[in-house]
Amino acid sequence: MPKNTFYNLSDEKKGRIFDAALEEFSVRTFDQASLNQIIKNAGIPKGSFYQYFENKEDIYLYMAEIILKEKSDILNCVRGIDPDADVFEIIMHTTREFIKQGKEKPGYAEAGMRMKLDNSEIAKRVRKSSAEKFVTMLERDKERGLIKPEVDSQVVINMISTFSLNEYYENGSDKERYLKNLGQAIKIIKDGIAQPKD
Amino acid sequence: MPKNTFYNLSDEKKGRIFDAALEEFSVRTFDQASLNQIIKNAGIPKGSFYQYFENKEDIYLYMAEIILKEKSDILNCVRGIDPDADVFEIIMHTTREFIKQGKEKPGYAEAGMRMKLDNSEIAKRVRKSSAEKFVTMLERDKERGLIKPEVDSQVVINMISTFSLNEYYENGSDKERYLKNLGQAIKIIKDGIAQPKD
DNA sequence: CCATCAAATGACCACCTGGTCTCATGTAAA
DNA sequence: TTTACATGAGACCAGGTGGTCATTTGATGG
């Protein structure tokens, strides 16, 4: 975690450093990202950086934490609206909300996504918990008899999240296309796991 | 492409260099991979390397070409057996064959998979053509009325290939689990896109 | 025996990396 | 005014990168 000297900084400077980290980590993975580039973006000297953070990993985790928090805020907000809503609807809704935010804060969504495909141990650690909520919701639907009992919820969530990630990249700035494809994929999965009524 | 000096080398030396490249590129992405490590693995001096290859990209493409060729050989072989076979069966079969090969040649499959998640332009270029064959086969099934007409074949293939990649990594050396999950995912998709008989 | 020429070689280059260390500066207390 | 101390600052470090180049080696043909 950042040192006290960082938290003592003005909000403006803290923001500048956060943005600089976001700018770099949204374009490169943890290993590839250059610390020198971050401090250049932020306009602070190397020495100052190490006065604020332990090391490169430190600022990465700091940034990741903020992004993930924001993401889970969206999720909690959506769930608040209708606790019994369809899991797939919630996923689509959350994704749409996340993209909407991404338009206002460019790099936000990019960094979040990149974190997923980052193979470094540190990124793996960060992204672990994110899918758990959806798995739980699927399990609930299974108990309700809406989903074939033999289906592995974790597999289903992995299918969606990996596809979502990939399409996000493939389609670049064409978010409409991304959402369309994600919608179709989710529909296919939904049809594929639905418990047929007899 | 490699220079003539490379092809003039003894098979033993060529093999040593290929193995060295495979060893490095199966563990690191193109950008992260170290040329110095490759020449150390191969036991050749730096100067010799540049007598054989134009640059780092050159040897990467050389290696990728060989791996992809091997992969498409498997695919063609499988297709040869039963040209009318189910697309999903073929994918599962190909995957199993590829893993079987991977057991004999460690690093082979790893490098092929890593190529997929490598974000460098050069890796993107390499992996482009790989999915096309499967899309064509799906289109054929659609014309036969086996698949809902509104389904986008590209989306379906992307769903499978991205999931396959992700599971391959998640499950590490547990190939059985990987195949089991892939089988389940494919079944879900198959059920999800099947044209219901009425 | 010599000339030719392709191939082998590793020292070397400029550049970049994450991280350290010393010193200057500003502020606040004594 | 002096002392103390947190912080700003950037030169510097060792180690790595991909790539070059002058030189040596060794085989071939005259």
Side-chain angles (χ1 to χ4, degrees):
Chain A
M1 40 182 272
K3 300 176 181 176
N4 284 333
T5 47
F6 174 73
Y7 291 111
N8 292 340
L9 258 32
S10 70
D11 284 350
E12 185 273 335
K13 197 161 186 178
K14 271 190 295 212
R16 228 169 56 215
I17 293 173
F18 175 84
D19 290 344
L22 188 58
E23 193 177 333
E24 181 68 4
F25 287 126
S26 68
V27 168
R28 291 180 235 293
T29 58
F30 177 73
D31 286 334
Q32 288 166 347
S34 161
L35 193 58
N36 289 328
Q37 193 57 50
I38 292 176
I39 65 169
K40 210 165 96 185
N41 291 346
I44 59 168
K46 180 76 81 70
S48 297
F49 176 86
Y50 282 95
Q51 213 102 44
Y52 308 147
F53 299 93
E54 294 292 341
N55 47 35
K56 187 177 164 186
E57 177 173 327
D58 200 14
I59 193 174
Y60 184 81
L61 286 173
Y62 167 72
M63 186 200 69
E65 195 185 332
I66 290 185
I67 292 179
L68 288 183
K69 184 173 178 326
E70 193 120 351
K71 205 172 173 183
S72 87
D73 282 351
I74 296 175
L75 177 57
N76 289 332
C77 172
V78 174
R79 273 209 296 189
I81 292 171
D82 180 1
D84 277 345
D86 184 275
V87 191
F88 303 105
E89 263 313 307
I90 291 181
I91 291 176
M92 281 304 292
H93 195 113
T94 308
T95 308
R96 272 192 293 262
E97 278 303 311
F98 196 52
I99 283 181
K100 209 189 289 173
Q101 286 217 7
K103 270 174 189 158
E104 296 153 24
K105 305 180 187 177
Y108 233 88
E110 273 77 6
M113 288 290 185
R114 181 159 297 270
M115 234 175 288
K116 275 195 172 182
L117 74 76
D118 194 326
N119 259 322
S120 63
E121 281 309 311
I122 163 176
K124 275 186 196 157
R125 220 186 312 148
V126 165
R127 87 179 88 112
K128 205 71 176 210
S129 67
S130 141
E132 278 169 13
K133 284 173 192 160
F134 292 119
V135 172
T136 312
M137 295 166 84
L138 259 188
E139 286 294 322
R140 189 197 57 189
D141 282 0
K142 202 196 281 183
E143 280 168 24
R144 285 181 184 166
L146 302 174
I147 293 174
K148 292 179 191 163
E150 72 269 22
V151 165
D152 183 334
S153 301
Q154 185 68 57
V155 165
V156 173
I157 295 303
N158 284 354
M159 286 174 75
I160 296 175
S161 66
T162 57
F163 178 80
S164 175
L165 164 67
N166 192 68
E167 285 298 308
Y168 188 86
Y169 270 102
E170 292 278 315
N171 294 307
S173 58
D174 190 349
K175 306 299 184 205
E176 283 310 315
R177 198 184 143 93
Y178 162 60
L179 285 173
K180 196 184 121 222
N181 288 351
L182 180 60
Q184 178 164 168
I186 285 180
K187 187 178 180 316
I188 290 172
I189 292 171
K190 197 174 166 180
D191 291 349
I193 67 176
Q195 178 76 284
K197 311 165 203 165
D198 53 352
Chain B
M1 41 182 272
K3 300 177 180 176
N4 284 334
T5 47
F6 175 74
Y7 290 112
N8 292 340
L9 258 33
S10 69
D11 285 350
E12 184 273 334
K13 197 162 185 176
K14 273 189 295 211
R16 229 169 55 216
I17 293 173
F18 174 83
D19 289 344
L22 187 58
E23 192 177 334
E24 181 67 5
F25 286 127
S26 68
V27 168
R28 291 180 235 293
T29 58
F30 177 74
D31 286 333
Q32 289 166 346
S34 162
L35 194 57
N36 289 329
Q37 192 58 49
I38 293 175
I39 64 169
K40 210 165 96 185
N41 291 346
I44 59 169
K46 180 74 81 69
S48 298
F49 175 87
Y50 281 95
Q51 213 102 41
Y52 308 146
F53 299 93
E54 293 292 341
N55 47 36
K56 186 177 164 185
E57 177 174 326
D58 200 14
I59 193 174
Y60 183 82
L61 287 174
Y62 166 73
M63 186 200 69
E65 196 186 331
I66 289 185
I67 292 178
L68 288 183
K69 185 175 177 323
E70 194 121 348
K71 205 172 174 183
S72 86
D73 282 352
I74 296 175
L75 177 57
N76 288 333
C77 172
V78 173
R79 273 209 296 188
I81 293 171
D82 180 2
D84 277 345
D86 185 277
V87 191
F88 303 105
E89 263 313 305
I90 291 181
I91 291 176
M92 281 305 292
H93 196 113
T94 308
T95 308
R96 271 192 293 262
E97 279 302 312
F98 196 52
I99 283 182
K100 210 190 289 174
Q101 286 216 5
K103 272 174 186 158
E104 297 153 25
K105 305 180 188 176
Y108 233 89
E110 272 77 6
M113 288 292 184
R114 181 161 296 272
M115 233 175 288
K116 275 195 169 182
L117 75 74
D118 194 327
N119 259 323
S120 63
E121 281 310 311
I122 162 175
K124 275 185 198 158
R125 220 186 311 146
V126 165
R127 89 178 86 112
K128 210 52 174 235
S129 66
S130 141
E132 278 168 13
K133 285 174 191 159
F134 292 119
V135 173
T136 311
M137 294 167 82
L138 260 187
E139 286 295 322
R140 189 197 56 188
D141 282 0
K142 202 196 283 183
E143 281 169 23
R144 285 182 184 165
L146 302 173
I147 294 174
K148 292 178 190 162
E150 73 268 24
V151 165
D152 183 333
S153 301
Q154 185 68 58
V155 165
V156 173
I157 295 302
N158 283 355
M159 286 173 75
I160 296 175
S161 66
T162 56
F163 179 79
S164 175
L165 165 67
N166 192 67
E167 285 298 308
Y168 188 86
Y169 270 102
E170 291 278 315
N171 294 308
S173 57
D174 191 349
K175 306 299 184 204
E176 283 310 315
R177 198 183 141 93
Y178 162 60
L179 286 172
K180 195 184 121 221
N181 287 352
L182 180 59
Q184 178 164 166
I186 285 181
K187 186 177 181 319
I188 290 173
I189 292 172
K190 197 175 167 181
D191 290 349
I193 66 176
Q195 178 75 284
K197 311 163 202 165
D198 55 350

